[in-house]
Amino acid sequence: MLLLALDTATPAVTAALHDGTSVVAAHSQVDARRHGELLLPAVDRVLTEAGLRLDAVTGVVVGVGPGPYTGLRVGLMTADTFGLALGVPVYGLCTLDGLAYAAGGEAGIEGPFVVATDARRKEVYWARYADSRTRLTEPAVDRPGELDIGGLPAVGAGALLYPDTFPDAREPEHVSAASLASLAAERLAAGEELEAPRPLYLRRPDAQVPKNYKVVTPK
């Protein structure tokens, strides 16, 4: 097994390789405006670091969000393209689940907690977790002031942005493809079925088609 994992649902552009036992290479760069520019170089970097070619990949894992429309589609379309070109399966994973998985290691959280990422517009994408592998609620998008998390620990950029709602906010701030790859490898080894690689937007894109077009007639 050699999984290539990607995620562009947060400001982190992140890629990793997992051989079924451990992460063999990983790279992340935080830049919310350059997902399309940075993702392929990140993939090339992890392949070079691992001393492998792209055709060695046996499966692709991609974060499905929730996340902003434009950034999220970069990772999903790239994953789909790799899957078609290589003839390998493409697996989707909730980006919040990847952060939750990392929370069990980096943040050392064992009990219930919350994951919250920045949804912009003074909102957060969030979900509750029983532990680093078990999500209790469906991902949602809400204003922080409308949430009552009961003082639970929280990870993610959304939690760090709103300390009044998330008083026990911790790292990691953004998801890493290494965590997504590790979680996917664990679930696949257990015979679990992963999600389809389809975007989890939770709200309409910012860009809208104008409702009234100006009529232009030839002179």
Side-chain angles (χ1 to χ4, degrees), residues 9-10 64-69 72 125 200-201:
T10 75
V64 300
Y69 183 87
L72 183 54
Y125 297 119
L200 186 60
Y201 293 127

Side-chain angles (χ1 to χ4, degrees), residues 8-100:
T8 56
T10 75
V13 180
T14 178
L17 290 169
H18 197 291
D19 64 5
T21 301
S22 61
V23 174
V24 295
H27 176 70
S28 295
Q29 184 171 343
V30 177
D31 192 326
R33 298 181 180 274
R34 299 172 64 206
H35 291 95
E37 181 180 344
L38 297 175
L39 183 56
L40 289 180
V43 172
D44 183 66
R45 179 167 178 168
V46 296
L47 287 168
T48 300
E49 183 179 331
L52 297 168
R53 292 167 52 92
L54 183 61
D55 58 12
V57 170
T58 60
V60 181
V61 179
V62 62
V64 300
Y69 183 87
T70 304
L72 183 54
R73 287 194 64 82
V74 170
L76 285 161
M77 292 303 296
T78 302
D80 280 344
T81 300
F82 281 149
L84 287 171
L86 299 171
V88 300
V90 181
Y91 307 105
L93 274 180
C94 175
T95 297
L96 301 182
D97 290 355
L99 265 165

Side-chain angles (χ1 to χ4, degrees), residues 98-100 102-104 106-107 116 154-157 160 170-176 179:
L99 265 165
E106 294 180 39
V155 300
L160 294 166
R170 311 180 190 182
E171 299 283 348
E173 183 175 2
H174 302 301
V175 71
S176 71
S179 295

Side-chain angles (χ1 to χ4, degrees), residues 129-152:
Y129 289 79
D131 54 50
S132 62
R133 293 171 174 81
T134 309
R135 177 157 37 90
L136 297 174
T137 63
E138 291 300 313
V141 57
D142 290 292
R143 290 187 177 275
E146 298 171 352
L147 302 179
D148 180 8
I149 66 166
L152 290 175

